[in-house]
Amino acid sequence: MKVILATGSPEIDKRIQLSENHTLIDNVGDLTELMDLLNYISVDILIVNMLLDDAEGELLIGLANTAFDKNIKIVMLTEKIESYAERILVSKLANLSVHAFITFEKLNNKVLESVLIFYPEKFDFGLLAETIIKEKPVTVKEEKIIERIVNFHNKVITVVGNAELAAELAAVAGRHCDKNVMLMDFDFFDSGMDAALGIENQQENLPDVFELIDNGSLDRTKLEQCCIKLNKVKVFSLIPKFSQYKYSELVNKPINQLIDFAYKNYDLTLIHVNGSCLDLCAISVLQNTDHILMTMHGDRISRRQAENYTIYMRDNHGIGQDKFHFVLFEYNEKTDALLGYFNANLPSMACISYSEKRCKFRNSKAAYALRINGRNLEEYIKLLGIFKISGSHKNNNKSKIFLKKILGGKNGKKVSN
């Protein structure tokens, strides 16, 4: 097999000794030179140092596209993948059939030769995160809860145009999944996130997080000083005031740096953006997030609008439809279309049911997000489970029977959530 080496480092080159099964065609130290070389040299495998490109990896993406077209395999040599931008780059390369990554600390002839001979058919996402699931029994009064503790890779999830969903999801992740959550609102047209969290008028006189980034002084402590911590849960909400900025200025704000910092420091980063497909801040965020929650109501028009949004983002901004997860929000089985209609068209859809309690809390200064229970709680835990975020909720049958007796007599009545 013919091999081209592109490490840009004599020290790394010394650690690579190819067997007689592989022939070294050339050794280059520049990705542009390597791209030119592929125009007139036939080769089977490239061994490339990822550090030859920047974190966004435009040259590496171009190289991977060329290699994919020419059926050339690529072995990437890399440091540990730590930053969010690096993880996005690795995911993009994996989608272009770059499945072999070797960290410098594990690089030796035995490992390299094994990869060259048995090039993996699929990318091993264990490079990005190792998931460990354990079960721990926890006794609470007369109940026994099985709490699944998951060591999962940090996630960045964006909710489009639904501040209530973002607030409630954050609260459940913090309270019932024991995650450190950073909740950020980038809907600068006044989304109502503060009302959904019960913290209206509390963000006055907080430091400006973008000034900290501009000054190079951002750390976790200072970031949390820009936030409001929710009562009794590990959720920090960053809600810049609409009146604090001119929208035209926001396009140049280092939002991506802020997302990257949050990704490194919190188990879960939840972001809320405006629902307009023309919002420039929203587009920037969506291009730099792991998963996108697209909400809709229980009717066919709402479903069509949600699907059209994803198609527009795919065709105009290169945001893959595989990032989108549809959420049927405030589903009312009495008045909305049948769930089967949505499941037939949107197989990966999640559902958060209508709650009379949520409607009542909208007209108070308290937050339903911090008081979710019953059916809604089960639905949110199921939704978080899609992203390998695991939690628990109490299932006290004795209490349910007692409530039924009080509210419904002998046979009990159905209690709305």
Side-chain angles (χ1 to χ4, degrees), residues 28-144:
V28 299
D30 181 85
L31 293 182
T32 303
E33 182 182 351
L34 177 58
M35 290 277 285
D36 293 339
L37 202 58
L38 295 180
N39 289 325
Y40 56 89
I41 288 183
S42 176
V43 66
D44 301 297
I45 296 174
L46 306 177
I47 302 176
V48 180
N49 182 356
M50 279 187 66
L51 298 183
L52 290 179
D53 204 354
D54 58 21
E56 295 181 355
E58 290 186 9
L59 290 175
L60 286 171
I61 295 296
L63 178 64
N65 271 306
T66 300
F68 181 81
D69 293 338
K70 295 177 177 290
N71 198 28
I72 300 172
K73 297 174 181 177
I74 300 180
V75 178
M76 288 289 179
L77 307 180
T78 177
E79 294 178 328
K80 277 189 175 182
I81 307 301
E82 294 182 340
S83 79
Y84 180 72
E86 289 169 336
R87 189 156 64 96
I88 290 294
L89 174 57
V90 170
S91 298
K92 289 179 179 178
L93 292 171
N95 287 331
L96 291 169
S97 296
V98 182
H99 299 156
F101 290 77
I102 304 175
T103 58
F104 295 127
E105 63 181 9
K106 293 183 179 179
L107 176 61
N108 58 50
N109 287 332
K110 184 177 180 180
V111 170
L112 181 60
E113 189 68 16
S114 176
V115 170
L116 293 179
I117 295 174
F118 305 105
Y119 191 86
E121 293 183 5
K122 295 182 179 180
F123 173 67
D124 179 11
F125 282 93
L127 177 70
L128 301 181
E130 181 180 359
T131 301
I132 305 170
I133 300 179
K134 301 177 181 178
E135 289 195 348
K136 181 179 72 175
V138 181
T139 303
V140 180
K141 295 182 180 179
E142 297 181 0
E143 304 167 358
K144 196 171 185 180

Side-chain angles (χ1 to χ4, degrees), residues 334 354-358 360 368 373-376 407 413-417:
K334 294 180 180 179
Y354 168 82
S355 169
E356 186 176 314
K357 186 189 296 184
R358 180 190 288 115
K360 290 179 179 178
Y368 175 67
N373 56 21
R375 185 176 183 177
N376 274 174
L407 298 174
K413 293 181 180 178
K414 186 176 181 181
V415 181
S416 63
N417 180 32

Side-chain angles (χ1 to χ4, degrees), residues 186 189 247-248 250-252 255-256 273-274 276-287 313 317:
F186 289 137
F189 293 105
Y247 182 79
S248 59
L250 294 170
V251 180
N252 298 316
I255 292 176
N256 292 349
V273 296
N274 187 270
S276 168
C277 61
L278 303 178
D279 187 288
L280 297 178
C281 291
I283 293 167
S284 176
V285 171
L286 296 179
Q287 289 173 333
M313 287 299 178
H317 301 291

